[in-house]
Coordinates of all heavy atoms in Angstrom, one line a residue:
M1 N -45.6 -26.2 50.1 CA -45.1 -26.9 49.0 C -45.0 -25.9 47.8 O -46.0 -25.3 47.5 CB -45.9 -28.1 48.6 CG -45.3 -29.0 47.6 SD -46.5 -30.0 46.7 CE -47.7 -30.4 47.9
N2 N -43.9 -25.8 47.2 CA -43.7 -25.0 46.0 C -43.7 -25.9 44.7 O -43.0 -26.9 44.7 CB -42.5 -24.1 46.1 CG -42.7 -23.0 47.0 OD1 -43.7 -22.3 46.9 ND2 -41.8 -22.8 47.9
M3 N -44.4 -25.5 43.7 CA -44.4 -26.2 42.5 C -43.9 -25.3 41.4 O -44.5 -24.2 41.2 CB -45.7 -26.8 42.2 CG -46.1 -27.9 43.1 SD -47.8 -28.4 42.8 CE -48.7 -27.0 43.6
K4 N -43.0 -25.6 40.6 CA -42.6 -24.8 39.5 C -43.1 -25.5 38.2 O -43.0 -26.7 38.0 CB -41.0 -24.8 39.4 CG -40.4 -23.7 40.2 CD -38.9 -23.6 39.9 CE -38.3 -22.5 40.8 NZ -36.8 -22.5 40.7
S5 N -43.8 -24.7 37.5 CA -44.3 -25.2 36.2 C -43.3 -24.9 35.1 O -42.5 -24.1 35.2 CB -45.7 -24.7 35.9 OG -45.7 -23.3 36.0
K6 N -43.5 -25.6 34.0 CA -42.6 -25.4 32.9 C -42.6 -24.0 32.3 O -43.7 -23.4 32.3 CB -42.9 -26.4 31.8 CG -42.5 -27.8 32.1 CD -42.9 -28.7 30.9 CE -43.1 -30.1 31.5 NZ -44.1 -30.8 30.7
K7 N -41.5 -23.6 31.7 CA -41.5 -22.3 31.0 C -42.3 -22.4 29.8 O -42.4 -23.4 29.2 CB -40.0 -22.0 30.6 CG -39.2 -21.3 31.7 CD -37.9 -20.9 31.1 CE -37.0 -20.3 32.2 NZ -35.7 -19.9 31.7
N8 N -42.9 -21.3 29.4 CA -43.6 -21.1 28.1 C -44.8 -22.1 28.1 O -45.3 -22.4 27.0 CB -42.7 -21.4 26.9 CG -41.6 -20.4 26.9 OD1 -41.8 -19.2 27.1 ND2 -40.4 -20.9 26.5
E9 N -45.3 -22.5 29.2 CA -46.5 -23.3 29.1 C -47.7 -22.5 28.8 O -47.8 -21.3 29.0 CB -46.7 -24.0 30.5 CG -47.3 -23.1 31.5 CD -47.9 -23.9 32.7 OE1 -47.7 -25.2 32.7 OE2 -48.5 -23.3 33.6
K10 N -48.7 -23.2 28.1 CA -49.9 -22.5 27.7 C -50.8 -22.3 29.0 O -50.9 -23.2 29.8 CB -50.6 -23.2 26.7 CG -50.0 -23.0 25.3 CD -50.7 -23.6 24.2 CE -50.0 -23.3 22.9 NZ -50.4 -24.2 21.8
Y11 N -51.3 -21.1 29.1 CA -52.0 -20.7 30.3 C -53.3 -20.0 30.0 O -53.3 -19.1 29.1 CB -51.0 -19.8 31.0 CG -51.5 -19.3 32.3 CD1 -51.5 -20.0 33.5 CD2 -52.0 -18.0 32.4 CE1 -51.9 -19.5 34.7 CE2 -52.4 -17.5 33.7 CZ -52.3 -18.2 34.8 OH -52.8 -17.8 36.0
L12 N -54.4 -20.5 30.6 CA -55.7 -19.9 30.3 C -55.9 -18.7 31.1 O -55.8 -18.7 32.3 CB -56.8 -20.9 30.6 CG -57.1 -21.9 29.4 CD1 -58.3 -22.7 29.8 CD2 -57.5 -21.1 28.1
E13 N -56.2 -17.6 30.5 CA -56.5 -16.3 31.2 C -57.6 -15.6 30.4 O -57.5 -15.3 29.2 CB -55.3 -15.5 31.3 CG -55.4 -14.4 32.3 CD -54.1 -13.7 32.5 OE1 -53.8 -12.8 31.6 OE2 -53.3 -13.9 33.4
D14 N -58.7 -15.3 31.1 CA -59.9 -14.6 30.4 C -60.3 -15.4 29.1 O -60.6 -14.7 28.1 CB -59.5 -13.2 30.1 CG -59.2 -12.4 31.3 OD1 -59.8 -12.6 32.4 OD2 -58.3 -11.5 31.3
G15 N -60.3 -16.7 29.2 CA -60.8 -17.4 28.1 C -59.8 -17.5 26.9 O -60.1 -18.2 25.9
K16 N -58.7 -16.9 27.0 CA -57.7 -16.9 25.9 C -56.5 -17.7 26.3 O -56.1 -17.7 27.4 CB -57.3 -15.5 25.5 CG -58.3 -14.7 24.8 CD -57.7 -13.3 24.4 CE -58.8 -12.3 24.4 NZ -58.3 -10.9 24.6
T17 N -55.9 -18.3 25.3 CA -54.7 -19.0 25.6 C -53.5 -18.1 25.3 O -53.4 -17.6 24.2 CB -54.6 -20.3 24.7 OG1 -55.7 -21.1 25.0 CG2 -53.3 -21.1 25.1
I18 N -52.7 -17.9 26.3 CA -51.5 -17.0 26.1 C -50.3 -17.8 26.5 O -50.3 -18.8 27.2 CB -51.7 -15.7 27.0 CG1 -51.8 -16.1 28.4 CG2 -52.8 -14.8 26.5 CD1 -51.5 -14.9 29.4
Q19 N -49.2 -17.2 26.1 CA -47.9 -17.8 26.4 C -47.3 -17.1 27.7 O -47.2 -15.9 27.7 CB -46.9 -17.7 25.3 CG -47.2 -18.5 24.1 CD -47.0 -20.0 24.3 OE1 -47.9 -20.8 24.3 NE2 -45.7 -20.4 24.5
K20 N -47.1 -17.9 28.7 CA -46.5 -17.3 29.9 C -45.0 -17.5 29.7 O -44.5 -18.6 29.6 CB -46.9 -18.1 31.1 CG -48.2 -17.4 31.8 CD -47.8 -16.2 32.6 CE -48.9 -15.8 33.5 NZ -48.7 -14.4 34.0
R21 N -44.2 -16.4 29.8 CA -42.8 -16.5 29.6 C -42.0 -16.8 30.9 O -41.0 -17.5 30.8 CB -42.3 -15.2 28.9 CG -42.1 -15.4 27.4 CD -42.0 -14.1 26.7 NE -43.3 -13.8 26.1 CZ -44.1 -12.7 26.4 NH1 -43.6 -11.9 27.3 NH2 -45.2 -12.5 25.9
E22 N -42.5 -16.2 32.0 CA -41.7 -16.4 33.2 C -42.1 -17.8 33.9 O -43.1 -18.3 33.5 CB -41.9 -15.3 34.2 CG -43.3 -15.2 34.8 CD -44.3 -14.4 34.0 OE1 -44.2 -14.5 32.7 OE2 -45.2 -13.8 34.6
V23 N -41.2 -18.2 34.8 CA -41.5 -19.4 35.5 C -42.6 -19.1 36.5 O -42.5 -18.1 37.3 CB -40.3 -19.9 36.2 CG1 -40.6 -21.1 37.1 CG2 -39.2 -20.3 35.2
I24 N -43.6 -19.9 36.5 CA -44.8 -19.6 37.4 C -44.5 -20.4 38.7 O -44.4 -21.6 38.7 CB -46.1 -20.0 36.8 CG1 -46.3 -19.3 35.5 CG2 -47.2 -19.8 37.7 CD1 -47.3 -19.9 34.5
I25 N -44.5 -19.7 39.8 CA -44.3 -20.4 41.1 C -45.7 -20.5 41.7 O -46.4 -19.5 41.9 CB -43.4 -19.6 42.0 CG1 -42.1 -19.1 41.4 CG2 -43.2 -20.3 43.3 CD1 -41.0 -20.1 41.5
M26 N -46.1 -21.7 42.0 CA -47.4 -21.9 42.6 C -47.2 -22.5 44.0 O -46.2 -23.2 44.3 CB -48.2 -23.0 41.8 CG -48.7 -22.5 40.5 SD -50.3 -21.9 40.8 CE -51.2 -23.4 40.9
K27 N -48.1 -22.1 44.9 CA -47.9 -22.5 46.3 C -49.2 -23.3 46.7 O -50.3 -22.9 46.2 CB -47.7 -21.3 47.2 CG -47.1 -21.6 48.5 CD -46.6 -20.4 49.2 CE -45.9 -20.8 50.5 NZ -45.5 -19.7 51.3
K28 N -49.1 -24.3 47.5 CA -50.3 -25.0 47.9 C -50.3 -25.0 49.4 O -49.3 -25.4 50.1 CB -50.2 -26.4 47.4 CG -51.5 -27.2 47.6 CD -51.5 -28.5 47.0 CE -52.8 -29.3 47.2 NZ -52.8 -30.6 46.7
V29 N -51.4 -24.7 50.0 CA -51.5 -24.7 51.5 C -52.8 -25.5 51.9 O -53.7 -25.6 51.1 CB -51.6 -23.3 52.2 CG1 -50.3 -22.6 52.1 CG2 -52.8 -22.5 51.6
E30 N -52.7 -26.1 53.0 CA -53.9 -26.7 53.6 C -54.2 -26.1 54.9 O -53.4 -26.0 55.8 CB -53.7 -28.2 53.8 CG -53.5 -29.0 52.5 CD -53.8 -30.5 52.6 OE1 -54.1 -31.0 53.7 OE2 -53.5 -31.1 51.6
L31 N -55.5 -25.5 55.0 CA -55.9 -24.8 56.1 C -56.9 -25.6 56.9 O -57.8 -26.2 56.3 CB -56.5 -23.4 55.7 CG -55.6 -22.5 54.9 CD1 -56.4 -21.4 54.4 CD2 -54.5 -22.0 55.8
N32 N -56.8 -25.5 58.2 CA -57.8 -26.1 59.1 C -58.9 -25.0 59.4 O -58.6 -24.0 60.0 CB -57.2 -26.6 60.4 CG -58.2 -27.1 61.4 OD1 -59.2 -27.7 61.0 ND2 -57.9 -27.0 62.6
V33 N -60.1 -25.2 58.8 CA -61.1 -24.2 58.9 C -62.2 -24.8 59.8 O -62.8 -25.9 59.6 CB -61.7 -23.9 57.5 CG1 -62.9 -22.9 57.6 CG2 -60.6 -23.3 56.6
I34 N -62.5 -24.0 60.8 CA -63.5 -24.4 61.8 C -64.9 -23.7 61.6 O -64.9 -22.5 61.3 CB -63.0 -24.0 63.3 CG1 -61.7 -24.7 63.5 CG2 -64.0 -24.3 64.3 CD1 -60.8 -24.0 64.6
G35 N -65.9 -24.5 61.6 CA -67.3 -24.0 61.5 C -68.0 -24.4 60.2 O -69.1 -24.0 60.0
M36 N -67.3 -25.2 59.4 CA -68.0 -25.7 58.2 C -68.8 -26.9 58.5 O -68.4 -27.7 59.3 CB -66.9 -26.1 57.1 CG -66.0 -25.0 56.7 SD -65.0 -25.5 55.3 CE -64.0 -26.8 55.9
S37 N -70.1 -26.9 57.9 CA -70.9 -28.0 58.3 C -71.7 -28.6 57.1 O -72.3 -29.7 57.3 CB -71.9 -27.5 59.4 OG -72.7 -26.4 58.8
C38 N -71.8 -28.0 56.0 CA -72.6 -28.5 54.9 C -72.2 -28.0 53.6 O -71.2 -27.3 53.4 CB -74.1 -28.1 55.2 SG -74.3 -26.3 55.0
G39 N -72.9 -28.4 52.6 CA -72.6 -28.1 51.2 C -72.6 -26.6 51.0 O -71.9 -26.1 50.1
H40 N -73.4 -25.9 51.7 CA -73.5 -24.4 51.6 C -72.1 -23.8 52.0 O -71.6 -22.9 51.3 CB -74.6 -23.8 52.5 CG -74.7 -22.3 52.4 ND1 -75.1 -21.6 51.4 CD2 -74.3 -21.4 53.4 CE1 -75.0 -20.3 51.6 NE2 -74.5 -20.2 52.8
C41 N -71.6 -24.3 53.1 CA -70.3 -23.9 53.5 C -69.2 -24.1 52.4 O -68.4 -23.2 52.2 CB -69.8 -24.6 54.8 SG -70.9 -24.3 56.2
T42 N -69.3 -25.2 51.8 CA -68.3 -25.6 50.7 C -68.4 -24.5 49.6 O -67.4 -24.0 49.2 CB -68.7 -27.0 50.1 OG1 -68.6 -27.9 51.2 CG2 -67.7 -27.4 49.0
M43 N -69.7 -24.2 49.2 CA -69.9 -23.3 48.2 C -69.4 -21.9 48.5 O -68.8 -21.2 47.7 CB -71.4 -23.2 47.9 CG -71.8 -22.9 46.5 SD -73.6 -22.9 46.3 CE -74.0 -21.4 47.3
V44 N -69.7 -21.4 49.7 CA -69.3 -20.1 50.2 C -67.8 -19.9 50.1 O -67.3 -18.9 49.7 CB -69.9 -19.8 51.6 CG1 -69.2 -18.7 52.3 CG2 -71.4 -19.6 51.6
I45 N -67.1 -20.9 50.6 CA -65.7 -20.9 50.7 C -65.1 -21.0 49.3 O -64.2 -20.2 48.9 CB -65.1 -21.9 51.7 CG1 -65.4 -21.4 53.1 CG2 -63.6 -22.0 51.5 CD1 -65.0 -22.3 54.2
E46 N -65.6 -21.9 48.5 CA -65.1 -22.1 47.1 C -65.3 -20.8 46.3 O -64.4 -20.4 45.6 CB -65.7 -23.3 46.4 CG -65.2 -24.6 46.8 CD -65.8 -25.8 46.1 OE1 -66.8 -25.6 45.4 OE2 -65.4 -26.9 46.3
N47 N -66.4 -20.2 46.5 CA -66.7 -19.0 45.7 C -65.9 -17.8 46.1 O -65.4 -17.1 45.3 CB -68.2 -18.7 45.7 CG -69.1 -19.7 45.0 OD1 -68.5 -20.5 44.2 ND2 -70.4 -19.7 45.2
S48 N -65.9 -17.6 47.5 CA -65.2 -16.4 48.0 C -63.7 -16.5 47.7 O -63.0 -15.6 47.2 CB -65.5 -16.1 49.4 OG -65.1 -17.2 50.2
V49 N -63.1 -17.6 48.1 CA -61.6 -17.8 48.0 C -61.3 -17.9 46.5 O -60.3 -17.4 46.0 CB -61.1 -19.0 48.8 CG1 -59.6 -19.2 48.5 CG2 -61.3 -18.7 50.3
G50 N -62.1 -18.7 45.8 CA -61.9 -19.0 44.4 C -62.0 -17.7 43.5 O -61.4 -17.7 42.4
S51 N -62.6 -16.7 44.0 CA -62.7 -15.5 43.1 C -61.6 -14.5 43.4 O -61.6 -13.5 42.7 CB -64.1 -14.8 43.3 OG -64.2 -14.4 44.7
L52 N -60.7 -14.8 44.3 CA -59.6 -13.9 44.6 C -58.6 -14.0 43.4 O -58.3 -15.1 43.0 CB -58.8 -14.3 45.9 CG -59.5 -14.1 47.2 CD1 -58.7 -14.7 48.3 CD2 -59.7 -12.6 47.4
P53 N -58.2 -12.9 42.9 CA -57.2 -13.0 41.8 C -55.9 -13.7 42.3 O -55.4 -13.4 43.3 CB -56.9 -11.5 41.4 CG -58.0 -10.7 42.0 CD -58.5 -11.5 43.2
G54 N -55.5 -14.7 41.5 CA -54.3 -15.4 41.9 C -54.5 -16.7 42.5 O -53.6 -17.5 42.7
V55 N -55.8 -17.0 42.9 CA -56.1 -18.3 43.4 C -56.5 -19.2 42.2 O -57.3 -18.9 41.4 CB -57.3 -18.2 44.4 CG1 -57.8 -19.6 44.8 CG2 -56.9 -17.5 45.7
E56 N -55.8 -20.4 42.2 CA -55.9 -21.3 41.1 C -57.0 -22.4 41.4 O -57.7 -22.8 40.5 CB -54.6 -21.9 40.8 CG -54.4 -22.5 39.5 CD -54.2 -21.5 38.4 OE1 -53.9 -20.3 38.7 OE2 -54.4 -21.8 37.2
K57 N -57.0 -22.8 42.6 CA -57.8 -24.0 42.9 C -58.2 -24.0 44.4 O -57.3 -23.7 45.3 CB -56.9 -25.2 42.6 CG -57.7 -26.5 42.3 CD -56.6 -27.5 41.9 CE -57.2 -28.9 41.6 NZ -56.1 -29.8 41.2
V58 N -59.4 -24.3 44.7 CA -59.9 -24.5 46.1 C -60.6 -25.8 46.3 O -61.5 -26.1 45.5 CB -60.9 -23.3 46.5 CG1 -61.2 -23.4 48.0 CG2 -60.4 -22.0 46.1
L59 N -60.1 -26.6 47.2 CA -60.7 -27.9 47.5 C -61.2 -27.9 49.0 O -60.4 -27.8 49.9 CB -59.7 -29.0 47.3 CG -60.0 -29.9 46.1 CD1 -58.8 -30.8 45.9 CD2 -61.2 -30.7 46.3
V60 N -62.5 -28.0 49.2 CA -63.0 -28.0 50.5 C -63.4 -29.4 51.0 O -64.1 -30.1 50.3 CB -64.3 -27.1 50.6 CG1 -64.9 -27.1 52.0 CG2 -63.9 -25.6 50.2
D61 N -62.9 -29.8 52.1 CA -63.3 -31.1 52.7 C -64.0 -30.7 54.1 O -63.4 -30.5 55.1 CB -62.0 -31.9 53.0 CG -62.3 -33.2 53.6 OD1 -63.5 -33.5 54.1 OD2 -61.4 -34.1 53.7
V62 N -65.4 -30.6 54.0 CA -66.2 -30.2 55.1 C -66.0 -31.2 56.3 O -65.8 -30.8 57.4 CB -67.7 -30.1 54.7 CG1 -68.5 -29.9 56.0 CG2 -67.9 -29.0 53.8
K63 N -66.0 -32.5 56.0 CA -66.0 -33.5 57.0 C -64.7 -33.4 57.9 O -64.8 -33.5 59.1 CB -66.0 -34.9 56.3 CG -66.4 -36.0 57.2 CD -66.5 -37.3 56.4 CE -66.2 -38.5 57.4 NZ -65.8 -39.7 56.6
N64 N -63.6 -33.1 57.3 CA -62.3 -33.0 58.0 C -61.9 -31.6 58.3 O -60.9 -31.3 58.9 CB -61.2 -33.7 57.2 CG -61.5 -35.2 57.1 OD1 -61.7 -35.9 58.1 ND2 -61.5 -35.7 55.9
G65 N -62.8 -30.6 58.0 CA -62.5 -29.2 58.3 C -61.2 -28.7 57.6 O -60.5 -28.0 58.1
N66 N -61.1 -29.2 56.3 CA -59.8 -28.9 55.6 C -60.1 -28.1 54.3 O -61.0 -28.5 53.6 CB -59.1 -30.2 55.3 CG -57.7 -30.0 54.8 OD1 -56.9 -29.5 55.5 ND2 -57.5 -30.4 53.6
V67 N -59.3 -27.1 54.1 CA -59.5 -26.4 52.8 C -58.1 -26.3 52.2 O -57.1 -25.8 52.8 CB -60.0 -24.9 53.0 CG1 -60.0 -24.1 51.7 CG2 -61.4 -25.0 53.6
A68 N -57.9 -26.9 51.0 CA -56.7 -26.8 50.3 C -56.8 -25.7 49.2 O -57.8 -25.7 48.5 CB -56.4 -28.2 49.6
V69 N -55.7 -24.9 49.2 CA -55.7 -23.8 48.2 C -54.4 -23.8 47.4 O -53.4 -23.9 48.0 CB -55.9 -22.4 48.9 CG1 -56.1 -21.3 47.9 CG2 -57.1 -22.4 49.9
E70 N -54.6 -23.7 46.1 CA -53.4 -23.5 45.3 C -53.4 -22.1 44.7 O -54.5 -21.6 44.2 CB -53.5 -24.5 44.1 CG -52.7 -25.8 44.3 CD -52.8 -26.7 43.1 OE1 -52.6 -26.2 41.9 OE2 -53.2 -27.8 43.2
F71 N -52.3 -21.4 44.9 CA -52.3 -19.9 44.5 C -51.0 -19.5 44.1 O -50.0 -20.1 44.3 CB -52.8 -19.1 45.7 CG -52.0 -19.1 46.9 CD1 -51.1 -18.1 47.2 CD2 -52.0 -20.2 47.8 CE1 -50.3 -18.1 48.4 CE2 -51.2 -20.2 49.0 CZ -50.4 -19.2 49.2
H72 N -51.0 -18.3 43.4 CA -49.8 -17.7 42.9 C -49.4 -16.7 44.0 O -50.1 -15.6 44.2 CB -50.0 -16.9 41.6 CG -50.4 -17.8 40.5 ND1 -49.5 -18.6 39.8 CD2 -51.6 -18.2 40.0 CE1 -50.1 -19.3 38.9 NE2 -51.4 -19.1 39.0
P73 N -48.3 -16.9 44.8 CA -48.0 -16.0 45.9 C -47.6 -14.6 45.4 O -47.6 -13.7 46.3 CB -46.8 -16.7 46.6 CG -46.4 -17.9 45.7 CD -47.5 -18.1 44.7
N74 N -47.3 -14.5 44.2 CA -46.9 -13.1 43.7 C -48.2 -12.3 43.4 O -48.2 -11.1 43.2 CB -46.0 -13.2 42.5 CG -46.6 -14.0 41.4 OD1 -47.3 -15.0 41.6 ND2 -46.4 -13.7 40.1
L75 N -49.3 -13.0 43.4 CA -50.6 -12.3 43.1 C -51.5 -12.2 44.3 O -52.3 -11.2 44.4 CB -51.4 -13.0 42.0 CG -50.7 -13.1 40.6 CD1 -51.5 -13.9 39.7 CD2 -50.5 -11.7 40.1
V76 N -51.4 -13.1 45.2 CA -52.3 -13.1 46.4 C -51.6 -13.7 47.6 O -50.8 -14.6 47.4 CB -53.7 -13.9 46.1 CG1 -53.4 -15.3 45.8 CG2 -54.7 -13.7 47.2
S77 N -51.8 -13.1 48.8 CA -51.1 -13.6 50.0 C -51.9 -14.6 50.7 O -53.1 -14.6 50.6 CB -50.7 -12.4 50.9 OG -51.9 -11.9 51.4
L78 N -51.2 -15.4 51.5 CA -51.9 -16.4 52.4 C -52.8 -15.6 53.4 O -53.9 -16.1 53.7 CB -50.8 -17.2 53.1 CG -51.4 -18.3 54.0 CD1 -52.3 -19.3 53.3 CD2 -50.2 -19.1 54.6
D79 N -52.3 -14.5 53.9 CA -53.1 -13.7 54.8 C -54.4 -13.3 54.2 O -55.4 -13.3 54.8 CB -52.3 -12.4 55.2 CG -51.3 -12.8 56.3 OD1 -51.3 -13.9 56.9 OD2 -50.5 -11.9 56.6
K80 N -54.4 -12.9 52.9 CA -55.6 -12.4 52.2 C -56.6 -13.6 52.1 O -57.8 -13.4 52.3 CB -55.2 -11.9 50.8 CG -56.4 -11.4 50.0 CD -57.0 -10.1 50.6 CE -58.3 -9.8 49.9 NZ -59.0 -8.7 50.6
I81 N -56.1 -14.8 51.9 CA -56.9 -16.0 51.7 C -57.5 -16.3 53.1 O -58.8 -16.5 53.2 CB -56.1 -17.2 51.2 CG1 -55.6 -16.9 49.8 CG2 -56.8 -18.5 51.4 CD1 -54.6 -17.9 49.3
K82 N -56.7 -16.2 54.1 CA -57.3 -16.5 55.5 C -58.3 -15.4 55.9 O -59.3 -15.7 56.5 CB -56.1 -16.5 56.5 CG -55.2 -17.7 56.4 CD -54.1 -17.6 57.5 CE -53.3 -18.8 57.5 NZ -52.1 -18.7 58.5
E83 N -58.0 -14.2 55.5 CA -58.9 -13.1 55.8 C -60.3 -13.3 55.1 O -61.3 -13.0 55.7 CB -58.2 -11.8 55.4 CG -59.0 -10.5 55.7 CD -58.4 -9.3 55.0 OE1 -57.2 -9.1 54.9 OE2 -59.3 -8.6 54.4
T84 N -60.2 -13.7 53.9 CA -61.4 -14.0 53.1 C -62.3 -15.1 53.7 O -63.5 -14.9 53.8 CB -61.0 -14.3 51.6 OG1 -60.3 -13.2 51.1 CG2 -62.2 -14.6 50.8
I85 N -61.6 -16.1 54.2 CA -62.4 -17.2 54.9 C -63.0 -16.7 56.2 O -64.2 -16.9 56.5 CB -61.4 -18.4 55.1 CG1 -61.0 -19.0 53.8 CG2 -62.1 -19.4 56.0 CD1 -60.0 -20.1 53.9
G86 N -62.2 -15.9 56.9 CA -62.7 -15.3 58.1 C -63.9 -14.3 57.9 O -64.8 -14.3 58.7
D87 N -63.8 -13.6 56.8 CA -64.9 -12.7 56.5 C -66.3 -13.4 56.2 O -67.3 -12.8 56.3 CB -64.6 -11.9 55.2 CG -63.6 -10.8 55.5 OD1 -63.3 -10.5 56.7 OD2 -63.0 -10.2 54.5
Q88 N -66.2 -14.7 55.9 CA -67.4 -15.5 55.6 C -67.9 -16.1 56.9 O -68.9 -16.8 56.9 CB -67.1 -16.6 54.6 CG -66.6 -16.1 53.2 CD -67.5 -15.1 52.6 OE1 -68.7 -15.3 52.6 NE2 -66.9 -14.0 52.0
G89 N -67.2 -15.9 58.0 CA -67.7 -16.3 59.3 C -67.1 -17.6 59.8 O -67.6 -18.2 60.8
Y90 N -66.0 -18.0 59.2 CA -65.3 -19.2 59.7 C -64.0 -18.8 60.4 O -63.4 -17.8 60.1 CB -65.0 -20.1 58.5 CG -66.3 -20.5 57.8 CD1 -66.6 -19.8 56.6 CD2 -67.1 -21.5 58.2 CE1 -67.8 -20.1 55.9 CE2 -68.3 -21.7 57.6 CZ -68.6 -21.0 56.4 OH -69.8 -21.3 55.7
D91 N -63.5 -19.7 61.3 CA -62.3 -19.5 62.0 C -61.2 -20.4 61.4 O -61.5 -21.5 60.9 CB -62.4 -19.8 63.4 CG -63.3 -18.8 64.1 OD1 -63.1 -17.6 63.8 OD2 -64.1 -19.2 65.0
I92 N -60.0 -19.9 61.4 CA -58.8 -20.8 60.9 C -58.2 -21.4 62.2 O -57.9 -20.7 63.1 CB -57.8 -19.9 60.2 CG1 -58.4 -19.0 59.1 CG2 -56.6 -20.8 59.7 CD1 -58.9 -19.8 57.9
G93 N -58.1 -22.7 62.2 CA -57.5 -23.4 63.3 C -56.0 -23.3 63.3 O -55.3 -22.9 62.4
Ligands
CU1 CU1 -72.9 -25.1 55.9

């Protein structure tokens, strides 16, 4: 799913509000992640994926083995996100 946000919207970066001039294209993916079992897993995935530059939002659903990620595809690739989850010891279904 691609979401286009409004031109010139205010955007938080490094604690400062700046004006983004270009149209920001955001992408949202839902990944099936195998091996998550508890709150620790949630934290590990949220922290590792969430700290990648270009990742806007990470939502982990341990019960259903689902990780939803919102990211800027011009800043970070889906492969990089999958690789980061894999590096933490989880498999992508
Ligand atoms: Cu766990």
